[in-house]
Amino acid sequence: MDPMAMLALATAVFLASHYVSSTPVRAGLVSVLGDNVYLGLYTAVSLVALGWMIWAYSRAPFERLWWGDEFKAWAVVFMPVSFVLLACGLLSKNPSAVRQEGALRSMGEARGILRITRHPVQWSIALWALLHLVARGDAASAIFFGGFALLSLSGTMLIDARRARTIGADWQRFAATTSNIPFAAIIQGRNRFSAGEIGWWKLGAGLAVYFVLLFAHPYLFGVRPY
């Protein structure tokens, strides 16, 4: 198979493996397999699809679509935001995250990073993907990173819809004071910004990982980001 076609197929399988969780198929599989088995199978399939996608990307030819080098500076400037969102999202209770639906009962009002967006991890991945897509500027990267961006951005909406169906009124109250799009709830007056609630150690953790990967990038991925 043509390497570019292989990459497109691998990306499609990777996307499909994630989108199934937002269809009625998920409920059917959970009823038959049980929640733990389903989650394990879903994780395994997703990891295999991701590995295939990475392998296909490594074999795809470089077909330039635009001169991406001029956008590398933008990636260096904005990637810290991605890592901070990732760290804050992973280190905070969030009812939109996997198996954290019950957090709504104990967390009270949305605080910290959730005042900015209720999907910090998804926006982190989307920002990472879009910055790399623009900075690379080739067809294979458009497919590879474009797939991640599509999954994360559409995922925010699919998660909202699934939580609204499964949680109901508690989710509606949470959604009323938060936003999918970063800072939208704050701009609309439905919430307020509080830097102190986010946690300086979370910001530090995100920035620390960013700087480590920034300098290790040429050795890990063979590409200088600066």
Side-chain angles (χ1 to χ4, degrees):
M1 182 182 290
D2 175 74
M4 201 67 75
M6 178 72 75
L7 174 60
L9 178 60
T11 303
V13 171
F14 177 72
L15 292 173
S17 71
H18 284 76
Y19 284 140
V20 70
S21 65
S22 298
T23 69
V25 174
R26 181 186 187 279
L29 290 174
V30 169
S31 66
V32 172
L33 301 173
D35 191 51
N36 290 332
V37 175
Y38 166 77
L39 184 60
L41 181 62
Y42 165 76
T43 301
V45 171
S46 297
L47 289 174
V48 170
L50 176 61
W52 181 23
M53 189 178 169
I54 294 171
W55 176 81
Y57 178 62
S58 70
R59 293 173 58 85
F62 186 86
E63 298 177 2
R64 186 176 296 281
L65 299 177
W66 61 83
W67 191 261
D69 287 352
E70 61 192 40
F71 297 105
K72 282 186 175 181
W74 289 97
V76 173
V77 169
F78 287 105
M79 275 301 296
V81 178
S82 174
F83 279 95
V84 167
L85 283 171
L86 181 64
C88 292
L90 292 177
L91 298 172
S92 303
K93 285 186 177 180
N94 185 354
S96 71
V98 176
R99 290 193 165 184
Q100 290 194 36
E101 298 91 335
L104 277 175
R105 303 186 188 95
S106 60
M107 65 183 294
E109 67 171 325
R111 297 173 60 82
I113 195 66
L114 298 182
R115 294 186 186 275
I116 297 174
T117 173
R118 58 179 172 265
H119 297 292
V121 174
Q122 297 296 332
W123 279 99
S124 165
I125 296 171
L127 181 58
W128 164 81
L130 291 172
L131 288 171
H132 280 74
L133 188 160
V134 172
R136 290 287 292 171
D138 66 293
S141 294
I143 297 172
F144 183 79
F145 292 111
F148 282 104
L150 174 62
L151 178 62
S152 294
L153 293 175
S154 62
T156 61
M157 295 178 283
L158 293 173
I159 291 169
D160 281 355
R162 187 166 68 247
R163 290 292 190 266
R165 289 195 308 269
T166 58
I167 299 177
D170 286 339
W171 176 263
Q172 296 297 341
R173 285 193 291 271
F174 174 72
T177 58
T178 59
S179 61
N180 176 2
I181 299 174
F183 292 102
I186 295 172
I187 293 172
Q188 294 168 355
R190 296 186 287 116
N191 212 315
R192 61 182 177 82
F193 178 70
S194 177
E197 288 181 2
I198 294 175
W200 295 110
W201 67 278
K202 296 176 186 177
L203 296 176
L207 292 175
V209 175
Y210 164 72
F211 282 112
V212 169
L213 288 179
L214 176 66
F215 292 108
H217 203 281
Y219 309 102
L220 295 174
F221 309 108
V223 178
R224 295 186 67 86
Y226 49 86

